[in-house]
Amino acid sequence: MLKRLTYTVLAILFVTVFFGIDKSFAASAEVNYKWYCSQCHGLKGDGKGVNATPDQPVNPKNHTDTAEMAKLTVSDVENVIRDGGAASSKSTMMPPFDKTMTSEEIKELVPYLSKLCNCKFK
Amino acid sequence: MKGFFKIFAGALAVLVFLIIMGVNQSADASPAEGKSVFTAKNCGGCHLTAGPNTDKTFEDKLKRKGPDLWFAGSKFKLDWLESWLQNPKPIRPMEYNSIEKKNAGNHAKLSATEAHQVAEYLNSLISKDVAEKVIEDGKPNIQGKIAFEKKQGCYGCHSVTKAGKVVGGLTGPSFVDAGKRLRGDWIYAYLKDPKALIPVKRMPTYVGVLNDNDMKAVAQHITTFK
């Protein structure tokens, strides 16, 4: 009986520790933005990342442009991050991140973008 | 008669000597020689040669100083390795791991002999994650071109030559002469199972975005860049 209890406690402990570690692998919105998005959208979100070279067919969206960004809805933003520009009749230069980040991580980027543009999505 | 034999034996000895020398010279350097140069120059200080890579977080990745080489033989073409090691020009326009600093182009340079030996060593580092002879390198592939330029915007991060001009992004490795450098089999294996080869990276995953045919086609298309 005691043995069983010990095993149960150990199992619970293991699962807690394991999930704890696993969760810490998921990066915060800001960290994800700087890692994945800033290469095009810039570290400040101004659309001036190093990939925005003069010959590119379209410029990365300036995420600090309040008026422009405020035209988007929450689902516009989520969809374009998830499925890329092509899926929202935008340029394929905006890649899809569906298989790169979890849907939670993608959702968490929305309030971060809202902070960058100092605007609210419709 | 005795004199004739002496000359014959002498000529034979010279011939055998020449053959041995010849064979010896055309024989490839052994990977072991290259490995000792690699170790002596501390290349392992920046490059991982014993895979797999166990990185889990961005921080793990940022601790690394250079790209992994544990699959180098599956990834690079041998003659490209040998010439690049003697004349190392930036491959990624930005410094390793950076999206702010330009690549200074200050990679260590090897002599012709060292480069030959190290290339043989790197060529011996094969990964079981890369299936061989799947992609026909250098063969034009229109489906791959469409996937590369239209379905996805690969040039968003990878520079390419367009109408004689280098265009495209800077945070991915340049594809300007990718066909000389990369084996199509590696590109396909990477697209198909990116985590097995490079677990943490800035490039989005295309698994489930591009289908298997498109992945093969893109891999082949990239090997046509020369």
Side-chain angles (χ1 to χ4, degrees), chain A residues 62-118:
Chain A
N62 177 355
H63 291 156
T64 63
D65 185 332
T66 311
E68 269 299 308
M69 289 296 284
K71 291 179 188 162
L72 302 173
T73 66
V74 170
S75 62
D76 284 341
V77 175
E78 275 179 24
N79 289 344
V80 81
I81 302 173
R82 183 167 295 127
D83 299 323
S88 2
S89 18
K90 295 268 157 180
S91 165
T92 54
M93 282 267 307
M94 168 65 202
F97 286 91
D98 186 22
K99 301 294 189 297
T100 305
M101 283 182 277
T102 64
S103 52
E104 234 171 78
E105 286 177 300
I106 291 175
K107 282 201 169 85
E108 282 166 11
L109 277 166
V110 179
Y112 184 73
L113 287 165
S114 194
K115 220 167 85 185
L116 284 178
C117 67
N118 195 16

Side-chain angles (χ1 to χ4, degrees), chain A residues 35 39 51 53 55 92 99-100, chain B residues 150 168 170-171 201 205 207:
Chain A
W35 184 264
Q39 45 186 333
N51 284 329
T53 55
D55 299 300
T92 54
K99 301 294 189 297
T100 305
Chain B
K150 299 256 158 48
L170 307 175
T171 63
K201 62 222 159 293
T205 296
V207 180

Side-chain angles (χ1 to χ4, degrees), chain A residues 25 27 31-32 34-36 38-39 43 50-51 53 55-57 92-93 95-97 99-100, chain B residues 56 58 61 99-100 150-153 155-157 165 167-171 201-202 204-205 207:
Chain A
F25 290 161
V31 170
N32 273 330
K34 291 193 165 144
W35 184 264
Y36 292 115
S38 292
Q39 45 186 333
L43 285 163
V50 286
N51 284 329
T53 55
D55 299 300
Q56 297 284 28
T92 54
M93 282 267 307
F97 286 91
K99 301 294 189 297
T100 305
Chain B
K56 293 217 159 53
F58 301 151
K61 174 78 172 186
I99 58 166
E100 295 177 276
K150 299 256 158 48
K151 280 196 190 170
Q152 301 299 329
Y155 55 85
C157 299
K165 198 174 166 197
V167 300
L170 307 175
T171 63
K201 62 222 159 293
R202 290 183 201 264
T205 296
V207 180

